[in-house]
Amino acid sequence: GQQLNQSPQSMFIQEGEDVSMNCTSSSIFNTWLWYKQDPGEGPVLLIALYKAGELTSNGRLTAQFGITRKDSFLNISASIPSDVGIYFCAGSNAGGTSYGKLTFGQGTILTVHP
Amino acid sequence: EPEVTQTPSHQVTQMGQEVILRCVPISNHLYFYWYRQILGQKVEFLVSFYNNEISEKSEIFDDQFSVERPDGSNFTLKIRSTKLEDSAMYFCASSEGARGNEQFFGPGTRLTVL
C-alpha cells in the first residue's frame, strides 16, 4: 500500500521560532491534509490541499501541495506554547474507486519551550 | 460548531468479548469512516461507509469487524471477539463528500482488551 514518510519525528523549539515539517510519499495523492492531535484526543483538521502546487494558509500555518503530488510541507510561524502536539500529514485519492481513505504519516511531535 | 461525538470514551473488555463502539457523525455528512491508532503509532484506516454499505476496507478490517448505521444518526463499529491486539484508540470520522474529503474526527474511544 501507499506509504508516507513524515519528518522530522520530533522537534524541540523555543517559543517564537518557525517550524517546518514535511511528508513524502511513494506514490501520488490528489489530496493532502494536515492534522494536529493533542494527547488523548482525536486529530483536528488544520489545512486541506487539493491541487498540485497549491499553497494555503490558516493563520500562522502554511502548507503546500508538492508539484509532483508526492509531497507536502507544513510551516508554523512564530510558534507559541499551545502549538505543542503531534502533527500528522495524510494523503487521499478520493474520487474514482476510492471513497476517501486517508493514509497517515507517522507524525511529528512538536515541543515548544516558553 | 458541529462535531463528531463518540461513546464510550473508554471501554475495558475481556478477550473474546464483543464490543460495540458508537459514533454520531456530523449531521449533513454522507461519508463515514473508522480508524484506529495503537498507542504511540500512526492513525490507520479501517473502513469507509457510504449509502448504507461499506465502500472500502483495509486488511485490518477482517471478519471480526462490522459496521452499521442502525438509524439516521448513529454509526457503529462492532468487534465480534476481541483480541489483545485490538487494544487501541478507535476514531470515527465523517465528511460531507468524498471528493472534498475534509474528514472530521471524533475524540475517540480507548479500547483496552484484557
Side-chain angles (χ1 to χ4, degrees):
Chain A
Q2 291 174 307
Q3 298 286 328
L4 288 189
N5 289 314
Q6 187 172 345
S7 63
Q9 284 188 323
S10 61
M11 303 183 76
F12 298 83
I13 62 169
Q14 291 292 130
E15 183 176 358
E17 288 183 359
D18 297 344
V19 170
S20 186
M21 58 192 80
N22 68 80
C23 251
T24 57
S25 169
S26 55
S27 51
I28 62 174
F29 288 108
N30 63 26
T31 303
W32 282 93
L33 304 106
W34 285 91
Y35 286 86
K36 177 175 184 262
Q37 186 180 30
D38 291 330
E41 297 185 14
V44 174
L45 181 63
L46 299 174
I47 290 181
L49 302 154
Y50 299 106
K51 289 185 200 175
E54 179 182 356
L55 185 72
T56 296
S57 293
N58 178 8
R60 293 178 296 106
L61 278 59
T62 302
Q64 184 156 31
F65 191 142
I67 290 288
T68 65
R69 295 169 63 191
K70 291 185 179 182
D71 63 316
S72 177
F73 72 74
L74 175 71
N75 286 343
I76 306 172
S77 62
S79 57
I80 58 178
S82 61
D83 290 334
V84 164
I86 305 176
Y87 290 80
F88 289 99
C89 62
S92 167
N93 280 316
T97 58
S98 172
Y99 286 81
K101 165 184 119 174
L102 294 181
T103 300
F104 279 82
Q106 306 97 315
T108 295
I109 302 171
L110 179 63
T111 304
V112 180
H113 294 289
Chain B
E1 187 172 319
E3 57 183 19
V4 177
T5 59
Q6 289 185 243
T7 54
S9 56
H10 192 185
Q11 174 93 46
V12 181
T13 190
Q14 294 290 326
M15 191 169 57
Q17 295 295 304
E18 174 182 287
V19 295
I20 298 176
L21 310 182
R22 291 184 165 79
C23 168
V24 179
I26 294 172
S27 62
N28 64 331
H29 285 187
L30 301 176
Y31 296 82
F32 314 115
Y33 309 85
W34 283 100
Y35 293 82
R36 79 169 187 192
Q37 185 179 33
I38 294 170
L39 186 63
Q41 297 187 22
K42 66 180 181 180
V43 178
E44 299 174 290
F45 170 78
L46 292 178
V47 66
S48 60
F49 190 86
Y50 170 70
N51 202 25
N52 277 322
E53 58 183 24
I54 290 174
S55 46
E56 198 171 1
K57 60 183 181 179
S58 72
E59 60 274 11
I60 303 169
F61 194 89
D62 61 22
D63 292 344
Q64 293 300 312
F65 291 86
S66 63
V67 289
E68 195 178 31
R69 189 156 162 83
D71 52 44
S73 58
N74 290 284
F75 178 50
T76 62
L77 174 70
K78 182 193 292 186
I79 309 175
R80 223 178 314 278
S81 176
T82 50
K83 304 188 282 283
L84 295 176
E85 54 266 35
D86 293 329
S87 295
M89 283 287 284
Y90 287 82
F91 294 107
C92 173
S94 69
S95 67
E96 195 171 353
R99 179 62 187 172
N101 204 32
E102 293 184 4
Q103 292 183 29
F104 295 89
F105 282 72
T109 293
R110 178 171 298 284
L111 176 65
T112 302
V113 183
L114 303 175

